[in-house]
């Protein structure tokens, strides 16, 4: 944690951490992960640490912010293996570094269950912040990457199906990714009117944009960029695809709405990062979220992702 | 939360909160409070919310930082009274406002026990940060306010002794105070070389300054500003005063070391805030923490405050 340009003035060990900042907007987000709810009780320290960071950085990504640092509070049972917490912290730190952020402080406590509360700090210019409330009639509704891999992997693990030959599900489960660079591209374009990350599920997150922007969203089922392995898994297991794609959560992809004239340029810039974006619908005047399927648009259920044990 | 000068651009409700900032140092601290360990299981929502904020702001105070905002994550059992969490948040918000800070975001989860993780953000000029590591030989060791009321009150409650006629203990228990303005005065003086807030106990926190500054501290037992009601309670209950004053925690007072020539001016400025500061010792070359008592200085045990159930 001592490379050139390291902005942390005071790290772990004093009453508080201190980071050098410039004038602008400080973006802050916090999330609590609880063992057995947000990660499996037998998850590895590396998996837990990585997810704790990705969950928070994904929220920064959805704001178009540049990550700066993270602080964490960890509660753990007294009989936790002595290496487990340091291993979680190491995974948090190395994951943070992958995104140009630093682990700058924290607090450890004894608790009945393993609990990780992370707070991520980022910076942005105020006029570039991506909000949930900015969608405008005429915008394209789009999504980065693919849908369904994370929840399909979780369902597979829960039903004892091996992920060994399911590379993309395995990756979604063990190596979740926050779309931080993509979020920066969206915000810098000046043409993206709203954004949110998919944590509660496509349906619930579309509803949040609809409600907060006061607009109607119409999405087309045939356009959804469904992960191939997730689709195969759902078919094999006879799981309703809606449960995977619409009501499954934690894809950590970004849903965004953008002026249509900016689409070509923006999708090309995302492709430069190796990320395909897909148009899945349009914004209209009105309210609610509708899905084109079968004989016409029907209102989409505003049902969120239920964490596996929550 | 809409008064003039409100710096929060985006509050609760989007992917993250956003706050306007100026160039300088961003000071960040996080603490996790767990029901039955850091507060009694039957504590009121108001008491919990207030303490969650004070614990964090006390860390900012010990850095000499100006509070900006707080974010929280709360985990609560599914059968928690529906009003309880909103009441905690209201108490957190009103306490934050007392110190000029704002509650700017958060996350709620279901957990086995009540857990509140708060992260406080503050600002400071880099050269004004109060560190644990700056104490210098020749400094005076001083402390704000009085010692022992918080732990005496906790011990009283645990042993079923009423606080009704013990006004100052009751206040310490229900209305803890973070020395935020005092911390600003210390940092702005430019003469305070180190500071820490008393959370682990006077002895443990003196040891932290000694270790991190690489100096010897000698304190004089006769100088300790012991809270009168705490002393009376300890005498009544035949509790060793050391357990109250040296090894009791959570006084949230500031220990600081200051150049002796600046003492008169500094203590007067603190008095202007209504806070008496007391010289309790000196900094010398060497290492360790020693206490003047009986026949001469003896080394003080580096034993911290054990939370009542932790």
């Amino acid at each position: 944690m001592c490379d050139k340009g390291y902005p942390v003035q005071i790290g772990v060990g004093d009453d508080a951490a201190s980071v050098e900042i410039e004038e602008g907007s400080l973006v802050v987000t916090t999330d609590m992960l609880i063992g057995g709810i947000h990660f499996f009780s037998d998850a590895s320290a590396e998996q837990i640490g990585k997810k704790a960071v990705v969950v928070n950085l994904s929220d920064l990504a959805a704001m178009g912010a540049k990550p700066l640092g993270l602080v964490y509070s960890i509660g753990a049972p007294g009989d936790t293996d002595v290496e487990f917490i340091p291993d979680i912290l190491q995974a948090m730190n190395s994951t943070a570094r992958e995104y140009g952020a630093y682990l700058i402080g924290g607090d450890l406590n004894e608790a009945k269950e393993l609990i990780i509360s992370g707070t991520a700090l980022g910076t942005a210019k105020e006029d570039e912040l991506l909000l949930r409330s900015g969608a405008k009639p005429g915008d394209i509704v789009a999504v980065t990457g693919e849908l369904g891999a994370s929840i399909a992997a979780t369902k597979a693990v829960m039903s004892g199906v091996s992920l060994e030959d399911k590379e993309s599900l395995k990756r979604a489960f063990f190596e979740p990714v926050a779309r931080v660079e993509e979020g920066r591209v969206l915000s810098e374009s000046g043409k993206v009117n709203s954004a949110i990350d998919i944590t509660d599920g496509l349906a619930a997150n579309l509803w949040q944009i609809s409600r907060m922007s006061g607009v109607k969203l119409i999405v087309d089922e045939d356009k959804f960029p469904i992960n191939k392995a997730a689709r195969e898994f759902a078919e094999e297991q006879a799981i309703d695809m809606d449960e995977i794609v619409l009501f499954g959560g934690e894809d950590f992809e970004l849903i965004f709405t953008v002026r249509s004239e900016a689409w070509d340029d923006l999708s090309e810039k995302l492709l430069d990062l190796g990320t395909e974006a897909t148009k899945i619908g349009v914004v209209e005047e009105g309210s609610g979220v509708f899905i084109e399927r079968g004989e016409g648009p029907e209102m989409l259920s505003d049902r969120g992702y239920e964490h596996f044990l929550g």
Side-chain angles (χ1 to χ4, degrees), chain A:
Chain A
M1 308 223 306
C2 293
D3 43 320
K4 197 163 166 282
Y6 185 46
V8 179
Q9 297 159 337
I10 310 297
V12 179
D14 215 297
D15 295 291
S18 167
V19 192
E20 193 182 322
I21 46 168
E22 289 175 5
E23 191 177 280
S25 286
L26 176 71
V27 182
V28 193
T29 177
T30 186
D31 268 296
M32 186 177 263
L33 300 187
I34 300 175
I37 297 179
H38 301 94
F39 50 85
F40 287 105
S41 303
D42 62 354
S44 70
E46 196 191 339
Q47 207 185 349
I48 295 168
K50 190 178 275 288
K51 183 163 177 183
V53 170
V54 166
V55 165
N56 274 297
L57 294 188
S58 183
D59 279 326
L60 292 188
M63 298 292 283
K66 188 175 162 211
L68 185 64
L70 291 113
V71 294
Y72 58 83
S73 286
I74 298 183
D79 60 358
T80 303
D81 186 280
V82 69
E83 292 298 324
F84 202 69
I85 304 300
D87 285 350
I88 290 176
L89 293 177
Q90 198 177 344
M92 290 181 78
N93 189 53
S94 64
T95 307
R97 295 299 300 118
E98 287 169 24
Y99 294 91
Y102 298 83
L103 204 62
I104 54 175
D107 183 38
L108 294 179
N109 296 278
E110 191 169 331
K112 285 187 191 148
E113 56 198 328
L114 185 58
I115 295 200
I116 317 226
S117 173
T119 300
L121 307 168
T123 53
K125 293 183 190 151
E126 183 177 1
D127 57 3
E128 289 183 355
L129 284 173
L130 301 175
L131 306 183
R132 296 175 177 181
S133 55
K136 290 191 176 48
D139 283 0
I140 286 169
V141 179
V143 64
T144 59
E146 294 181 334
L147 302 172
S150 168
I151 188 70
T154 300
K155 284 182 189 289
V157 170
M158 284 177 77
S159 47
V161 174
S162 167
L163 297 179
E164 270 320 301
D165 59 340
K166 298 177 169 59
E167 200 46 51
S168 63
L169 300 196
K170 199 170 148 188
R171 210 162 44 235
F173 193 70
F174 289 105
E175 309 275 342
V177 169
R179 296 299 196 184
V180 169
E181 285 189 78
E182 291 80 354
R184 299 287 302 147
V185 165
L186 300 186
S187 74
E188 283 168 4
S189 75
K191 300 291 183 187
V192 171
N193 286 327
S194 69
I196 191 169
D197 65 322
I198 303 183
T199 48
D200 301 328
L202 183 62
N205 292 129
L206 286 168
W207 268 100
Q208 280 166 297
I209 288 188
S210 163
R211 270 195 307 269
M212 293 188 66
S213 298
V215 294
K216 180 198 267 189
L217 304 181
I218 307 178
V219 294
D220 184 345
E221 178 174 50
D222 294 337
K223 305 265 178 68
F224 293 161
I226 303 173
N227 176 273
K228 189 163 162 280
R231 186 192 291 278
E232 285 168 3
F233 169 77
E235 283 165 2
E236 275 164 31
Q237 302 284 317
I239 297 170
D240 183 352
M241 279 307 293
D242 283 1
E243 294 305 311
I244 301 287
V245 176
L246 289 169
F247 307 116
E250 304 206 327
D251 279 317
F252 301 123
E253 298 294 349
L254 301 179
I255 302 171
F256 59 97
T257 77
V258 56
R259 302 312 300 162
S260 59
E261 68 271 18
W263 174 257
D264 291 343
D265 185 47
L266 186 63
S267 56
E268 205 162 298
K269 287 209 174 96
L270 291 170
L271 264 186
D272 290 345
L273 299 174
T275 301
E276 197 162 346
T278 307
K279 294 190 218 184
I280 61 167
V282 292
V283 181
E284 293 189 356
E285 284 187 27
S287 63
V289 179
F290 294 81
I291 183 167
E292 296 272 8
R293 62 185 354 170
E295 299 187 355
E298 60 185 63
M299 188 178 277
L300 193 56
S301 167
D302 180 12
R303 173 156 64 83
Y305 172 53
E306 303 278 328
H307 283 283
F308 36 96
L309 300 176

